[in-house]
Amino acid sequence: MGGRAGGRRVHRVRDHPRQVARYRERHGTSGAKSDAGDAHVLADMVRTDAHQLRAVAGDSALVEGVKLVARAHQNLIWDRHRQVLRLRSALREYFPAALEAFDDLAAADALDLLGAAPDPEQAARLSRSRIAGALKRARRRDVEVKAETIQAVLRSPRLSQPPQLAAAYAATVQATVAVIAVFNTEIATLQGQVEAHFGRHPDVEIYRSQPGLGEVLGARVLGEFGDDPDRYQGVRARKNYAGSSPITRASGKKTVVLARFVRNQRLADALHQQAFCALRASPGARAYYDQLRARGVGHHAALRQLSNRLVGILHGCLKTRTLYDETTAWGHHANKDQQTAA
């Protein structure tokens, strides 16, 4: 990064270890390896194949900040999910009624009640008003009905572990509940930072206009794509980087089209979620997805193809500096369908 800041063109030559390993074999097949030899190989790669290497993008400091907070926010969500899985595993061993009573173990009401009554005996003694209070604080609907249902489930007879073992499980559950509660607080705080950083970027309105992109997903997509106007030579390059475009392997008379798995996984996950959300936000996206499904394409493959279309639409909006328009984005597909029907 220091070289790029100094006005030099910096190439990324180690995107994948096999890339360098295969280039090393051009100079010798003995398998010998040294740091000096690797340095020579890397320098020779740039000298002879610079036109084939991707230059490090000159993204702005603002978009780097968006990427930083968006990734940190996503990391916290992943870490919380790991703690929820640990909590679920512990409850399954000694308190399965809690899994039936609470559909979301990371929700505020579930954490409140599990923290107050972490074992089956204590949970069975919870009053309906205590349960209803937790539901109200979590802003649940139909509080009285849900409180009655939860109380009935917690008081239903079940097989139990010995008291000593149940007490040990309860201690671990109480600690895990406290950790998840802290994660909830910090995730909400960091989400505010994600939205604030995202809102300051010049391209924010273009990203917000895209179907299926909200504040958090929009920040993730912007951060991973970057804002260097010369980073992508065209829409195909952006799609390839996103991992939504397929790859073709042709040899002789055999041709196979496969999904692209070497990609920016964070970006691919965000775009996959965008495609799923766009099914409700965009009639054109929904119609395109339904066409693919009618042709026998699977759900995930159809979402991947829809995501590929949405990346192309985003690229066009960024290139022309225009907001998303439903008619412009999907009008040509409607015209094709009408011509086919005629």
Side-chain angles (χ1 to χ4, degrees), residues 1 34 46 59 66 106 122 131 234 236 262 314 317 320 337 340:
M1 298 299 289
S34 65
V46 177
D59 293 328
V66 172
Q122 291 178 324
I131 298 173
R236 181 180 295 275
V262 179
L314 172 63
C317 290
T320 59
D337 295 340
T340 302

Side-chain angles (χ1 to χ4, degrees), residues 178-225:
V179 171
I180 295 173
V182 173
F183 271 119
N184 284 344
T185 301
E186 297 306 318
I187 286 171
T189 301
L190 198 53
Q191 181 174 336
Q193 291 296 319
V194 172
E195 294 173 356
H197 281 73
F198 181 54
R200 290 195 291 267
H201 196 275
D203 296 339
V204 62
E205 294 303 328
I206 296 177
Y207 277 87
R208 282 174 177 166
S209 69
Q210 304 299 309
L213 284 187
E215 296 296 309
V216 174
L217 272 184
R220 291 179 186 174
V221 174
L222 169 62
E224 299 303 330
F225 269 139

Side-chain angles (χ1 to χ4, degrees), residues 3-193:
R4 184 168 58 81
R8 300 181 181 89
R9 183 178 178 86
V10 180
H11 292 278
R12 192 185 303 275
V13 296
R14 300 202 67 172
D15 279 344
H16 198 285
R18 286 187 301 179
Q19 184 178 5
V20 179
R22 295 296 179 268
Y23 198 91
R24 187 189 299 118
E25 292 174 357
R26 293 175 56 183
H27 297 269
T29 58
S30 65
K33 181 183 182 302
S34 65
D35 291 342
D38 287 345
H40 176 77
V41 167
L42 295 176
D44 203 45
M45 282 180 65
V46 177
R47 183 179 64 83
T48 60
D49 293 332
H51 61 289
Q52 299 285 356
L53 300 175
R54 182 191 305 158
V56 174
D59 293 328
S60 67
L62 181 56
V63 82
E64 291 290 347
V66 172
K67 179 170 69 174
L68 181 63
V69 294
R71 285 188 173 187
H73 178 256
Q74 190 173 41
N75 289 340
L76 285 183
I77 293 176
W78 288 342
D79 291 339
R80 179 182 63 181
H81 184 64
R82 294 187 185 98
Q83 296 298 328
V84 170
L85 291 179
R86 293 189 180 103
L87 176 60
R88 183 178 298 276
S89 178
L91 291 173
R92 188 180 294 113
E93 295 297 327
Y94 84 109
F95 193 5
L99 299 178
E100 184 179 344
F102 308 118
D103 54 350
D104 183 5
L105 294 178
D109 52 340
L111 297 176
D112 185 355
L113 296 174
L114 285 174
D119 63 71
E121 291 186 4
Q122 291 178 324
R125 293 195 295 268
L126 288 173
S127 65
R128 190 177 302 178
S129 61
R130 176 67 177 84
I131 298 173
L135 294 174
K136 288 179 181 178
R137 287 189 290 273
R139 299 181 179 180
R140 297 286 189 177
R141 297 180 179 178
D142 301 326
V143 170
E144 296 301 329
V145 175
K146 290 182 178 179
E148 182 178 357
T149 302
I150 291 174
Q151 186 183 52
V153 171
L154 295 178
R155 291 185 176 182
S156 61
R158 309 270 178 151
L159 293 176
S160 60
Q161 295 279 10
Q164 298 84 353
L165 190 57
Y169 272 120
T172 62
V173 163
Q174 230 170 2
T176 307
V177 163
V179 171
I180 295 173
V182 173
F183 271 119
N184 284 344
T185 301
E186 297 306 318
I187 286 171
T189 301
L190 198 53
Q191 181 174 336
Q193 291 296 319

